[in-house]
Amino acid sequence: MDKAKMYHDMTDAELNATYQSKKQELFNLRFQHSIGQLKNPKQLEMVKKDIARILTVQKLREAK
């Protein structure tokens, strides 16, 4: 299952919880990157894209 479909299938509460955890993960990754401990910089991009997908789903639901 692709990530976009997964986010569309979540309830609003699950989506909000996932959003909060992704924001925390992004903060931690940025911190690791700044002190030189991040092993895979591609993770930053992946987490940012996940956050964008979540926000897109939330906006689509608000528009309905």
Side-chain angles (χ1 to χ4, degrees):
M1 178 186 318
D2 69 350
K3 290 183 181 185
K5 175 99 172 91
M6 179 181 72
Y7 293 137
H8 280 282
D9 292 341
M10 287 183 176
T11 65
D12 288 340
E14 292 172 331
L15 210 54
N16 286 332
T18 305
Y19 173 74
Q20 292 301 323
S21 69
K22 291 291 182 183
K23 289 293 280 186
Q24 183 64 40
E25 183 180 355
L26 182 61
F27 174 79
N28 292 335
L29 288 172
R30 283 182 175 159
F31 183 73
Q32 288 176 4
H33 183 65
S34 68
I35 60 175
Q37 290 184 345
L38 187 62
K39 294 180 180 165
N40 184 5
K42 193 79 167 162
Q43 282 180 303
L44 281 169
E45 281 183 44
M46 294 181 343
V47 172
K48 286 180 184 179
K49 286 183 181 183
D50 284 343
I51 290 171
R53 286 183 186 108
I54 291 169
L55 290 174
T56 300
V57 171
Q58 288 177 336
K59 293 291 182 187
L60 287 173
R61 288 183 183 178
E62 287 177 6
K64 288 183 179 181

